[in-house]
Amino acid sequence: MKPVIIASGKVRPVAVEKLQSIADFRMYAGGGQPPEEMWAAWLQEADALYATGNIRVDEALLAKAPKLKVVVQSSVGYDNIDIDACTRRGIPVGNTPGVLVDATADLAFGLILCSARLLHVGWEHVKNGAWGRRKSMGFGVDLANKTLGIVGLGRIGAAVAARAQASRMKVVYHNRTQRPDDAALGVTYVSFDELLATSDFVLAMLPLSKATEGLFDRNAFAKMKPTARFINVARGKIVDTAALQEALQEKWIAYAALDVTDPEPLPGDHPLLTLDNIMITPHIGSATVETRDAMAMLTVENLLAGLAGQPMPACVNPEAVQKKA
Ligand code: DGY
């Protein structure tokens, strides 16, 4: 009997092909939440869940999936998954760290560059036939000799730091604990408050958790320089959106460039979209052909390992397997 593998959202064709060859693979590709009745029937039979960020994997879902042996997701973040609940049931959860480092770092650096040089504004200017009035677009600012402050310096943060250093930026960072390799990376550890007060560009790279939810609030924005540019490529909910809006409107900070928002997707009539000192991309940090394929294939490897009761290449809760054994 082939295992039943269900997916709550679109899966890359390269992974679909593999999964169809070994399993009864069912994919909901309609966008948004899967229809309730169909989804409940799929869960009832599922051996494996290929989750996507549109669903919450929590007690309520797990209770509907009595045969479930493994949960995987094609992302490094897993804030939509209740890891403790999965662990309690002996269900390992796989994610995809590593393979998206360069793509996400490129996007983060692209947003830093856009916030400094307003590339997108320049393009609109030209498209609107306003090139001859170039001065009306105003000037950008240099990256060289400016300070980039990275809040949450993991692998992606380190890759952004290298890109920033190539542009001759100074890089400071704040983590819960200082990295032992920070001197080798050429980055300087500072307190959160010092980072906010001294950085020209503040890059948020933190995972979403109870501790980081709303971390960038009125207080945080009030501590930044009026010339600061704020960039978020992590999760929308680490920012208090109303506070960011106020900070941009009142010019407490100069600019924001976001790849993630709260809510997400951002509705077309959201007040943030009325501001002229912001640019937003639609959560495309890892969205390149090569990276998304690599993420999908790592997800498949995780899934197959989980089904076979073997250690996954990338597991968030390896203790789940020991619990089951
Ligand atoms: C990730 O991998 O967490 C990206 O943000 C995509 O969700």
Side-chain angles (χ1 to χ4, degrees):
M1 275 270 282
K2 284 183 169 181
V4 175
I5 301 175
I6 64 170
S8 56
K10 266 198 191 144
V11 171
R12 295 286 299 160
V14 65
V16 169
E17 203 180 305
K18 175 74 185 164
L19 295 172
Q20 275 174 342
S21 73
I22 52 131
D24 171 356
F25 177 61
R26 307 170 194 177
M27 174 172 81
Y28 173 66
Q33 297 285 313
E36 218 175 295
E37 208 174 305
M38 177 207 80
W39 189 237
W42 284 10
L43 283 170
Q44 185 65 33
E45 294 180 295
D47 295 291
L49 169 60
Y50 193 127
T52 44
N54 56 330
I55 60 161
R56 285 209 62 74
V57 180
D58 53 12
E59 277 294 353
L61 179 143
L62 296 173
K64 293 181 195 155
K67 294 166 66 187
L68 200 63
K69 297 174 190 64
V70 53
V71 173
V72 291
Q73 188 158 287
S74 242
S75 64
V76 70
Y78 45 83
D79 43 275
N80 59 316
I81 303 177
D82 183 338
I83 300 297
D84 290 343
C86 292
T87 305
R88 279 195 297 276
R89 289 170 188 260
I91 297 176
V93 178
N95 70 336
T96 59
V99 290
L100 46 54
V101 166
D102 282 317
T104 309
D106 284 341
L107 195 274
F109 190 69
L111 292 184
I112 292 169
L113 187 57
C114 272
S115 71
R117 300 300 302 274
L118 305 175
L119 306 183
H120 50 297
V121 179
W123 170 228
E124 287 302 316
H125 204 71
V126 172
K127 228 172 24 178
N128 295 334
W131 191 334
R133 287 178 276 125
R134 188 179 48 205
K135 279 199 177 133
S136 66
M137 189 191 134
F139 290 138
V141 294
D142 279 346
L143 294 185
N145 304 313
K146 295 284 166 49
T147 298
L148 168 63
I150 302 179
V151 185
L153 189 95
R155 291 169 75 179
I156 301 172
V160 180
R163 285 154 174 78
Q165 286 157 347
S167 289
R168 298 202 307 106
M169 298 182 85
K170 173 183 169 191
V171 182
V172 301
Y173 77 103
H174 181 74
N175 281 4
R176 266 179 308 185
T177 50
Q178 186 170 356
R179 284 179 65 130
D181 60 348
D182 59 3
L185 293 172
V187 298
T188 307
Y189 185 72
V190 293
S191 70
F192 184 52
D193 279 359
E194 186 179 343
L195 184 148
L196 297 178
T198 59
S199 296
D200 301 295
F201 296 81
V202 175
L203 172 64
M205 294 272 2
L206 295 153
L208 175 63
S209 68
K210 285 206 173 72
T212 63
E213 187 164 351
L215 179 71
F216 290 91
D217 56 8
R218 289 182 94 241
N219 264 333
F221 290 118
K223 285 176 186 153
M224 292 183 197
K225 295 181 182 184
T227 51
R229 276 123 171 109
F230 174 71
I231 296 101
N232 186 8
V233 294
R235 285 293 182 265
K237 281 188 189 300
I238 66 177
V239 175
D240 174 342
T241 301
L244 173 63
Q245 191 181 327
E246 186 180 6
L248 289 166
Q249 252 159 359
E250 302 302 321
K251 305 281 192 282
W252 300 351
I253 65 171
Y255 204 86
L258 314 175
D259 186 48
V260 289
T261 57
D262 175 31
E264 208 170 283
L266 202 63
D269 60 353
H270 195 278
L272 275 187
L273 300 177
T274 63
L275 304 177
D276 59 8
N277 51 351
I278 192 166
M279 71 106 51
I280 302 175
T281 51
H283 201 147
I284 53 170
S286 60
T288 67
V289 173
E290 299 87 343
T291 295
R292 283 288 169 87
D293 279 352
M295 290 165 76
M297 290 318 287
L298 177 53
T299 308
V300 169
E301 281 180 48
N302 281 338
L303 189 153
L304 297 182
L307 273 181
Q310 303 293 326
M312 290 178 177
C315 187
V316 174
N317 59 342
E319 67 278 15
V321 181
Q322 282 133 31
K323 191 176 162 67
K324 200 187 253 174

